[in-house]
Amino acid sequence: PGDLPAYELCDDETADGFTLFDLTSQDNAITLGAPGLLVQYYTSETDAQDDTNVIDPATGFTNTVNPQTIWVRVSDADTGCSSFTTITLRVLPNPSPNTNPTPIELCDALTLDDGIEVFDLTLREAEILGGEPGVSATYYETRELAEAGNALEAIVDPTNYSNTTTPQIIYVRITNDTTGCYTIVEL
């Protein structure tokens, strides 16, 4: 095994610097796809050398510090030889927008009593972003669409949006433009 790039994931909903890693997703990068190799993960170099306290299950490891070094033992069953390397786990921060923006309210004026108006959803964007640099906002009609983050399913023109119900929640996906990490805000 050679030097490995850091294994980076975005923080989960609790935004505490800890998240669940599937260490086995790195097996192929570690072995370069060579068959017949056993890859095991450890939280200390001593454990890796002694083959004790293997991380089990390696498919569901939550880091204990951020960043965290994990020791990797690669064994060849045919030769009995083992080699060692490390991988760094890093939890990337999510954006930290204002998650309680002021609602946008309009009087029912276009067609009286239909509950439908044209809203500029971006009126609260500055309030939501709170001056955080390097982030952008996209608007969605459902939380599921916002979580998926497909730009083709975003509200096409958030400056000219006709509500579908009243009241209605719009889900604003605030995305870090560099890492892709995101936070959902209800507007």
Side-chain angles (χ1 to χ4, degrees):
D3 292 333
L4 298 169
Y7 179 13
E8 298 177 329
L9 292 177
C10 295
D11 208 343
D12 55 25
E13 295 79 32
T14 58
D16 57 4
F18 303 100
T19 198
L20 191 66
F21 287 86
D22 177 358
L23 301 176
T24 64
S25 70
Q26 303 303 297
D27 289 0
N28 196 46
I30 292 167
T31 64
L32 302 175
L37 300 177
L38 174 64
V39 180
Q40 295 173 294
Y41 300 89
Y42 302 84
T43 57
S44 77
E45 183 177 18
T46 302
D47 285 348
Q49 294 288 335
D50 295 344
D51 193 17
T52 58
N53 301 315
V54 65
I55 295 173
D56 185 24
T59 55
F61 176 76
T62 300
N63 60 304
T64 57
V65 295
N66 187 30
Q68 182 168 5
T69 299
I70 296 294
W71 282 262
V72 183
R73 178 187 185 106
V74 180
S75 304
D76 186 328
D78 293 333
T79 66
C81 295
S82 295
S83 61
F84 303 89
T85 191
T86 59
I87 188 167
T88 301
L89 306 181
R90 185 173 292 120
V91 180
L92 303 173
N94 294 328
S96 53
N98 171 10
T99 57
N100 193 21
T102 306
I104 301 173
E105 297 175 341
L106 293 176
C107 294
D108 190 4
L110 291 178
T111 303
L112 294 179
D113 297 327
D114 71 348
I116 306 297
E117 288 299 315
V118 176
F119 289 82
D120 180 353
L121 302 176
T122 66
L123 288 174
R124 299 295 185 258
E125 193 166 302
E127 178 185 349
I128 292 170
L129 297 180
E132 185 172 355
V135 295
S136 56
T138 48
Y139 299 80
Y140 296 88
E141 290 183 327
T142 69
R143 177 172 289 281
E144 293 77 19
L145 292 174
E147 291 286 347
N150 183 341
L152 297 176
E153 296 176 319
I155 293 171
V156 175
D157 184 358
T159 64
N160 188 28
Y161 177 76
S162 294
N163 60 306
T164 58
T165 62
T166 189
Q168 180 176 357
I169 296 174
I170 297 297
Y171 299 88
V172 187
R173 180 182 172 116
I174 308 302
T175 305
N176 180 301
D177 298 329
T178 303
T179 66
C181 297
Y182 68 92
T183 301
I184 304 296
V185 175
E186 291 185 6
L187 172 63

